Amino acid sequence: MSDQNRYELNKNLAQMLKGGVIMDVTTPEQAKIAEAAGAAAVMALERIPADIRSAGGVSRMSDPKMIKGIQDAVSIPVMAKCRIGHFAEAQILQAIEIDYIDESEVLSPADDVFHINKRDFEVPFVCGAKDLGEALRRIEEGASMIRTKGEPGTGDIVQAVRHMRLMNQEIARISSLREDELFNRAKELLVSYELVRYVHDHKKLPVVNFAAGGVATPADAALMMQLGAEGVFVGSGIFKSGNPAKRAAAIVQAVTNYTDAKLIAKLSEDLGEAMVGINEQEIALLMAERGK
Amino acid sequence: MSNKLPQEKKLQIGVLAVQGAFIEHEHILESLGADVFEIRQLRDLNRPIDGLVLPGGESTVQGKLLRDLGLFEPLKNRIQEGLPVLATCAGAILLAEKIAGETKTHFATLPATVRRNAYGRQLGSFFTENEVTHIGKVPQTFIRAPYFESVGNDVEVLSRTATTNKHSNKNPNATTDESNNTTTKQIVAVKYKNQIALSFHPELNNDTSIHQYFLKLIS
């Protein structure tokens, strides 16, 4: 199979996830709860971002045995994270036939200059981005799906909103440029002319774009969808809350009917305690600043 | 020459839009001249509908949302009453009477047994081109796709395809024909009365022939 075919198939899988919610899970039991609640995929990891944040120290790829346990527990796609630039971790995840690799700033970066050459892999990659330049650089490296970075493990939506708005503004700006101005824009963004040209012509990224980082409530999910996200990752927000199954199902429905405020009002009732959360100003470690 | 239908016959096609790749179907149907609307909740069914599209996505998610949003019974009734349906991938799983290895089913209006993730995980996904009865050669994109293990007597098999991917699971029940070294082909497209079900994704390629066929059957 040609590499181009493989890349298309990997972008296609992200298309199938659209309108869905991808949930962080740490055990097969949580994975089953997530699947039953309507998760379109699960992200298998040893510790959810909120716990990584409070534990501190170096955070790495999860134990493959733990990931396999989750693969066996559910029928939906299973994703897992590797450290930025850690292509050996990515090779391991490919070897256990993971459905999507998240080269993630949530883990401690393994390389402070180079990201993984994702074109070398057959399995697909999703990467975080806080602006259009980062998104296109990851796509250039072979990512077949993008998500906002947000600020993981905080339950604070402000950064995801900032990243999504910024990306949309930059896409709108490129769309309005004259054709002869695109070459310089490519130079400024440190990406190829072809990618900038695609954004100019289609007014969107060439891959699916999800929201991630700080989504904790059905209203957060609806906000991100109305800002143009094609689906939502929920990390700590579900299993750090009072009633994970109910909250998860409510967020799933809110993503489907994200403009129906009446329905979302009903979905938001009696969800129990939301994750406690930390405000942007109280954070000691800005994960979104990892990997540019 | 235009592929569009004449104006006076504008078909009303509802696309299930609770999760998955529904926009891709909408773009193709619109390009063929149909009036397309999204079905996200019960009130979306309060209008005339000539045909229904069940898109790809995750069947577990779609099945749950159909029930949570009160769409399940009304749509099932319409399908049983003869509403034409085009179902792709997850949609085909929603239609199947039996899902291999699972007890749960969804609409269960199509006499067939479908196996989910039949080619394995994403590494088993593949692209090929193959004949579909009544239509001809079409591009076929399989994403963590199901196939039909068996179909009822009245079900017409429209296409059989062998995987082109070395990573794909091979059918454990299949016997390889050693004499001419051909791989076993799986049933990937079927038609039963008002229902067309495909395990691949015609909405992911530029080829519109399957959607054209669907619209022609309705009109």
Side-chain angles (χ1 to χ4, degrees):
Chain A
M1 187 173 314
S2 78
D3 293 347
Q4 191 50 41
N5 255 346
R6 177 45 60 187
Y7 186 56
E8 285 303 317
L9 292 168
N10 287 341
K11 286 200 288 184
N12 291 157
L13 176 58
Q15 287 173 274
M16 295 307 137
L17 297 172
K18 284 191 298 182
V21 181
I22 300 168
M23 303 181 192
D24 278 5
V25 296
T26 58
T27 62
E29 292 68 39
Q30 285 186 356
K32 282 184 184 152
I33 293 171
E35 183 177 45
V42 290
M43 177 77 70
L45 69 177
E46 267 163 2
R47 279 190 300 208
I48 54 175
D51 291 335
I52 292 175
R53 196 172 274 290
S54 58
V58 174
S59 177
R60 311 178 178 88
M61 178 189 78
S62 299
D63 182 342
K65 186 174 172 186
M66 169 264 164
I67 298 170
K68 281 198 253 176
I70 288 171
Q71 286 176 316
D72 291 341
V74 295
S75 62
I76 54 180
V78 177
M79 304 182 166
K81 292 181 193 294
C82 71
R83 285 179 265 177
I84 290 175
H86 205 316
F87 50 85
E89 283 186 350
Q91 289 161 359
I92 291 167
L93 293 174
Q94 173 161 277
I96 62 169
E97 301 201 2
I98 203 77
D99 290 303
Y100 242 97
I101 297 176
D102 185 358
E103 186 185 16
S104 176
E105 68 281 3
V106 169
L107 306 182
S108 308
D111 194 317
D112 54 5
V113 179
F114 299 104
H115 279 73
I116 295 171
N117 176 6
K118 294 164 274 289
R119 299 179 182 215
D120 270 357
F121 289 78
E122 291 193 76
V123 293
F125 279 81
V126 55
C127 286
K130 52 186 193 314
D131 54 42
L132 182 65
E134 282 188 16
L136 294 180
R137 287 194 289 279
R138 299 297 86 77
I139 293 165
E140 194 105 77
E141 294 155 3
S144 42
M145 180 179 184
I146 291 293
R147 54 172 177 75
T148 59
K149 284 180 167 172
E151 192 51 33
T154 61
D156 188 357
I157 198 69
V158 65
Q159 303 230 20
V161 167
R162 188 181 299 148
H163 300 164
M164 189 59 78
R165 279 194 187 273
L166 182 56
M167 223 181 291
N168 290 341
Q169 286 162 5
E170 290 177 310
I171 289 172
R173 182 163 166 249
I174 283 192
S175 310
S176 67
L177 290 181
R178 282 164 51 103
E179 277 188 42
D180 59 2
E181 294 167 341
L182 296 177
F183 299 97
N184 187 58
R185 192 70 190 121
K187 194 176 73 184
E188 289 169 349
L189 292 173
L190 307 172
V191 294
S192 68
Y193 164 76
E194 283 70 30
L195 275 180
V196 172
R197 179 76 211 224
Y198 183 96
V199 173
H200 175 267
D201 292 354
H202 296 85
K203 300 183 171 57
K204 63 188 282 296
L205 293 180
V207 303
V208 167
N209 187 15
F210 269 47
V215 177
T217 66
D220 289 345
L223 174 67
M224 295 313 299
M225 291 298 288
Q226 289 190 39
L227 285 174
E230 295 180 280
V232 174
F233 283 85
V234 187
S236 318
I238 289 172
F239 289 99
K240 274 283 160 191
S241 74
N243 188 341
K246 192 171 178 189
R247 182 170 295 268
I251 293 176
V252 168
Q253 278 202 54
V255 166
T256 298
N257 284 293
Y258 59 87
T259 56
D260 188 339
K262 246 185 193 166
L263 177 69
I264 298 170
K266 220 172 117 206
L267 292 171
S268 305
E269 284 181 12
D270 293 324
L271 289 182
E273 214 170 312
M275 69 177 287
V276 179
I278 339 167
N279 286 307
E280 179 178 43
Q281 298 78 3
E282 305 160 359
I283 310 174
L285 170 69
L286 270 180
M287 290 176 174
E289 291 306 316
R290 292 167 162 176
K292 310 210 168 155
Chain B
M1 203 176 80
S2 168
N3 290 328
K4 291 195 178 188
L5 300 164
Q7 279 301 311
E8 65 271 20
K9 279 200 211 166
K10 233 174 184 195
L11 292 171
Q12 307 293 311
I13 308 294
V15 178
L16 183 68
V18 294
Q19 189 272 327
F22 46 86
I23 291 164
E24 291 79 353
H25 279 288
E26 293 168 19
H27 288 162
I28 293 181
L29 291 163
E30 277 163 2
S31 79
L32 295 173
D35 249 350
V36 180
F37 63 97
E38 293 186 347
I39 302 171
R40 290 175 185 264
Q41 47 182 283
L42 200 49
R43 65 167 182 231
D44 298 328
L45 290 178
N46 297 331
R47 53 178 289 174
I49 177 169
D50 299 313
L52 172 68
V53 172
L54 303 175
E58 280 302 319
S59 61
T60 53
V61 183
Q62 296 179 359
K64 176 171 169 47
L65 283 166
L66 282 169
R67 291 173 175 91
D68 287 353
L69 296 163
L71 284 165
F72 186 79
E73 287 300 329
L75 280 179
K76 181 173 173 156
N77 291 340
R78 303 251 184 139
I79 296 168
Q80 281 173 329
E81 286 161 11
L83 176 68
V85 192
L86 173 65
T88 63
C89 196
I93 296 166
L94 293 182
L95 289 183
E97 247 173 30
K98 282 191 189 139
I99 303 175
E102 297 181 26
T103 45
K104 186 161 186 141
T105 57
H106 303 284
F107 293 130
T109 51
L110 175 71
T113 301
V114 76
R115 178 168 290 277
R116 294 179 60 208
N117 303 332
Y119 301 96
R121 301 182 183 283
Q122 173 61 5
L123 274 177
S125 294
F126 65 102
F127 171 84
T128 186
E129 283 185 301
N130 207 357
E131 290 292 325
V132 176
T133 313
H134 310 304
I135 297 168
K137 199 168 194 178
V138 298
Q140 299 184 337
T141 302
F142 295 83
I143 305 293
R144 284 173 48 95
Y147 58 64
F148 299 94
E149 279 195 345
S150 62
V151 297
N153 288 335
D154 303 335
V155 176
E156 183 186 6
V157 173
L158 298 180
S159 186
R160 290 174 192 267
T161 292
T163 174
T164 57
N165 183 335
K166 64 179 189 308
H167 292 293
S168 291
N169 282 352
K170 302 292 187 275
N171 185 353
N173 308 318
T175 48
T176 308
D177 188 344
E178 301 286 349
S179 55
N180 56 8
N181 204 18
T182 54
T183 330
T184 312
K185 291 183 169 183
Q186 318 296 347
I187 301 172
V188 297
V190 300
K191 181 170 177 286
Y192 173 71
K193 296 181 183 169
N194 54 320
Q195 305 169 50
I196 300 173
L198 316 170
S199 54
F200 56 92
H201 293 280
E203 76 280 13
L204 294 178
N205 306 101
N206 293 326
D207 188 296
T208 59
S209 54
I210 286 189
H211 292 83
Q212 271 176 271
Y213 175 70
F214 177 60
L215 294 179
K216 210 177 85 191
L217 282 184
I218 302 173
S219 56

